Amino acid sequence: MKTSPCPPALAGFVLPFGLFLCAESVCSAPPPVPAPFRSDRLLILPRSGGHRPALASLHQRTRVNVLRTFPALQGLEVLEVPPDADVPALVEAYRQSGLVAHAEPDYLVRAVGLPNDPSFTNGTQWALHNTGQQGGLPDADIDAPEAWDLQSRAPNVVVAVIDSGIWRTHEDLAANLWVNPAETPGNGLDDDGNGYVDDVHGVNVTTGTGAIGDSAGHGTHLAGILGAVTDNGKGVAGVAWQVQIMTCRFLNSAGHGSISDAVACIDYARLMGAHVINASWVTTEASTALELAVASAREAGIVFVAGAGNDGQDNDLPLITLPNLALDNVIAVAATDAQDRLWNRSNFGAANVDLAAPGVNIHSTFFIADNNYAAMSGSSQAAAFVSGAAALVRAAYSTATPQEVIDRLLYSTDPVPALRGRCRAGGRLNLRGALDPAPVVVWPQAPVVSAGNRGGPFAPDAQAFLILNRGATPLPWSASVTASWLQLEPASGTVSAGDKQTVSVALSPVAATLPRGEYTERVEFLLQTGDGCVEVPWTLRIYEPAMVRLRSAGPAGSGLQLGLTGQPEATYVAESSTNFSSWRPLITNALPASGDTPSFWSDPATNRQLFFRARVWQTN
Ligand code: CA
Ligand code: CA
Ligand code: CA
């Protein structure tokens, strides 16, 4: 049973079988996000082989100064513009000049989630090991104790936390800070000549120095999740007990920053040898400069972990762009709670969000004092779990490419029903699985349960399985089902070393001819190495159709009328005198009948008719 996120005061319409209509604006309340940018900067990419004197002359005419140039990013320039400048007009002027390949405003980015209020052995850290404390679901965790038997330390792995800084002297962090060996602390000099003075544990790109102190708490919190000093009798346990945490500060105390500074941080992390970047911030605008920076990190073999954002939005819609970067070294993370539910404010996306990780009520290190700890929620926190996991995977498999690290993280997740269709993996991080030394893995292995009315359709009606060959030799395999209501393809093949193969298993047309009942079958994978044989149970539950009537139970003056139907599955029509574009139906009560969350759409011409498809069935 699912509870509605809508407050009771909302004008809604409860239907007999539990369909509930509520205003989108109240269901998830994502305020429309403007597209703000810095008024004092813009970014340009000079045309390769372009006429430098002409560009310099344009800079002079428009009264801009070149603040920073990135040789590794095709010569990308950050320009400082005069206080009275019209930034969009200036961007346009550069685009029209023919001297640049690209020009864009310096868009703002913001931290994913900020503090909302002020340890492993007492069970507070449910995400690492969940036994049902705090009302959670046992085993809705990342299986950390099981994983730590395999790998708990990543002493040679550098994770760059590109965020609000870090509380450097924290009792549970100080020993795990990365140290720049070529920089002498406190002498006011840039000893290693990398452009930053006294950058001993990292850099603050807004000051150009090593002043990485945290004024927001966000970065300190993430650092503790991924790599707090562990087994020291203090504070919290990190995912990685030992790791080198590099800090790049670019977010201010309000959690805000800009693309030009984010790019400088990514460039620094690449230059100084980071293996993993944690980017728990989002931007709403596509940025070529950011893409160039993440692509350069990819060339350097860096895994780029991104929080999916906390707007309750579908990232497959073109709104939040950071996790949408179409580069195979980016892994975008949504947040789940202690009951393995997608957090209601977490963004999601079947294509653009890769997996979920714990992100609600997460205890970790905090700023203000060396012994301060706090709980925070967000996909930022979820991303930090994945960053810590990536560090351990990298430590255990030191020759793994970023793509192999990401494959390990994705194809070891615990399948979670609430995440099906909400992220690529449809599951939540499982650290034990990610570190599993088995050379051959079939994923997922959770039992599949399809259900629906007699005659169909059934949901889910298909499942893709992956056979991953992490070994050094080719893997011949075959797969089979015996019942006629399942079909699969292909049925056999060979997966070369380091590669993977998808096997699609689906209900066959026979399923629609079966009488009411419960049917059980096993999908069998025969592997010539590794586990030998893997069996995945598949259950098909066929119900007798229930009679359904729809009626409006909402307040009268709403203008909403619902079409009536006796069909268990049908397209229903709701008509309104007002605009329907911001309404959506939800199933809130599945008893005594069960049902699907219906798909819905409105009449694009008038927006005054709402169509939705729903299905219910008897459960007894
Ligand atoms: Ca330096
Ligand atoms: Ca120095
Ligand atoms: Ca500790």
Side-chain angles (χ1 to χ4, degrees), residues 2 15 19-25 27-28 312 314 317 348 422 562 569-574 579-587 596-604 607 609-615:
K2 183 172 161 183
L15 308 179
L19 269 173
F20 189 80
L21 298 175
C22 60
E24 184 92 353
S25 60
C27 284
S28 55
D314 187 340
L317 303 172
F348 53 88
R422 297 300 180 97
L562 291 167
E569 178 176 359
T571 299
Y572 300 100
V573 183
N579 194 309
F580 254 127
S581 60
S582 63
W583 293 76
R584 65 189 171 113
L586 296 171
I587 284 197
D596 286 328
T597 302
S599 56
F600 65 98
W601 62 98
S602 58
D603 180 349
N607 266 336
Q609 280 197 320
L610 179 74
F611 303 89
F612 54 96
R613 194 157 183 84
R615 187 160 50 116

Side-chain angles (χ1 to χ4, degrees), residues 9-20:
L10 176 68
F13 308 92
V14 179
L15 308 179
F17 67 103
L19 269 173
F20 189 80

Side-chain angles (χ1 to χ4, degrees), residues 72-73 266-267 270 291-302 327:
L73 305 180
I266 296 168
D267 200 56
R270 179 193 56 76
E291 279 189 47
L292 278 173
V294 179
S296 76
R298 179 182 180 278
E299 291 303 308
I302 297 176
L327 292 166

Side-chain angles (χ1 to χ4, degrees), residues 22-96:
C22 60
E24 184 92 353
S25 60
V26 182
C27 284
S28 55
V33 182
F37 45 79
R38 285 182 74 139
S39 59
D40 59 342
R41 286 186 184 179
L42 60 92
L43 292 143
I44 61 160
L45 191 60
R47 201 173 279 289
S48 59
H51 194 237
R52 305 299 300 196
L55 186 59
S57 158
L58 177 59
H59 288 345
Q60 201 169 19
R61 281 204 309 281
T62 52
R63 295 178 294 132
V64 310
N65 294 317
V66 180
L67 272 182
R68 185 184 291 279
T69 303
F70 296 96
L73 305 180
Q74 299 175 25
L76 181 77
E77 289 183 0
V78 180
L79 304 183
E80 182 182 35
V81 309
D84 58 343
D86 176 346
V87 169
L90 213 46
V91 166
E92 197 51 38
Y94 273 88
R95 285 177 182 162
Q96 298 290 334

Side-chain angles (χ1 to χ4, degrees), residues 186-522:
N187 65 355
L189 301 173
D190 175 15
D191 302 284
D192 63 351
N194 65 356
Y196 297 101
V197 172
D198 292 347
D199 53 319
V200 178
H201 301 297
V203 71
N204 178 340
V205 295
T206 70
T207 60
T209 69
I212 56 174
D214 191 351
S215 61
H218 194 253
T220 303
H221 200 261
L222 305 183
I225 292 169
L226 72 91
V229 181
T230 304
D231 206 21
N232 62 346
K234 289 177 184 168
V236 292
V239 173
W241 295 14
Q242 186 185 1
V243 65
Q244 299 182 42
I245 301 171
M246 176 192 287
T247 296
C248 183
R249 175 177 164 176
F250 84 110
L251 298 175
N252 64 19
S253 58
H256 293 149
S258 67
I259 293 288
S260 61
D261 287 337
V263 164
C265 278
I266 296 168
D267 200 56
Y268 181 88
R270 179 193 56 76
L271 185 70
M272 302 309 285
H275 303 101
V276 177
I277 286 176
N278 188 99
S280 288
W281 33 270
V282 292
T283 167
T284 55
E285 301 300 315
S287 163
T288 297
L290 184 62
E291 279 189 47
L292 278 173
V294 179
S296 76
R298 179 182 180 278
E299 291 303 308
I302 297 176
V303 175
F304 192 93
V305 183
N310 294 348
D311 306 282
Q313 290 176 353
D314 187 340
N315 274 1
D316 290 348
L317 303 172
L319 285 172
I320 307 295
T321 59
L322 183 60
N324 291 9
L325 289 170
L327 292 166
D328 60 6
N329 65 321
V330 177
I331 180 167
V333 190
T336 50
D337 68 11
Q339 295 188 317
D340 258 347
R341 296 174 301 200
L342 182 68
W343 185 42
N344 63 7
R345 285 180 57 201
S346 177
N347 292 353
F348 53 88
N352 284 324
V353 175
D354 291 291
L355 80 170
V360 178
N361 196 21
I362 303 299
H363 282 260
S364 183
T365 48
F366 211 45
F367 71 151
I368 301 296
D370 291 350
N371 61 352
N372 196 18
Y373 300 86
M376 292 175 73
S377 298
S379 56
S380 289
Q381 279 64 33
F385 278 101
V386 172
S387 292
L392 288 181
V393 169
R394 173 78 196 223
Y397 304 97
S398 56
T399 60
T401 64
Q403 293 72 39
E404 286 167 345
V405 171
I406 288 175
D407 274 1
R408 278 193 169 270
L409 297 168
L410 284 184
Y411 305 126
S412 59
T413 50
D414 285 332
V416 172
L419 298 173
R420 196 181 175 92
R422 297 300 180 97
C423 59
R424 262 175 73 204
R428 186 244 316 120
L429 177 69
N430 184 304
L431 184 59
R432 174 65 178 78
L435 290 167
D436 196 321
V440 176
V441 172
V442 173
W443 182 89
Q445 292 188 20
V448 182
V449 179
S450 299
N453 287 339
R454 178 168 49 79
F458 307 97
D461 62 359
Q463 171 75 54
F465 295 90
L466 279 179
I467 301 172
L468 297 112
N469 181 5
R470 298 168 178 164
T473 54
L475 166 72
W477 63 274
S478 63
S480 63
V481 290
T482 49
S484 60
W485 53 268
L486 274 181
Q487 56 194 10
L488 64 76
E489 94 90 20
S492 64
T494 299
V495 189
S496 37
D499 208 351
K500 50 185 180 274
Q501 164 79 48
T502 302
V503 178
S504 302
V505 184
L507 296 178
S508 79
V510 172
T513 68
L514 296 172
R516 173 181 175 175
E518 181 165 309
Y519 303 81
T520 301
E521 166 66 335
R522 284 174 188 284

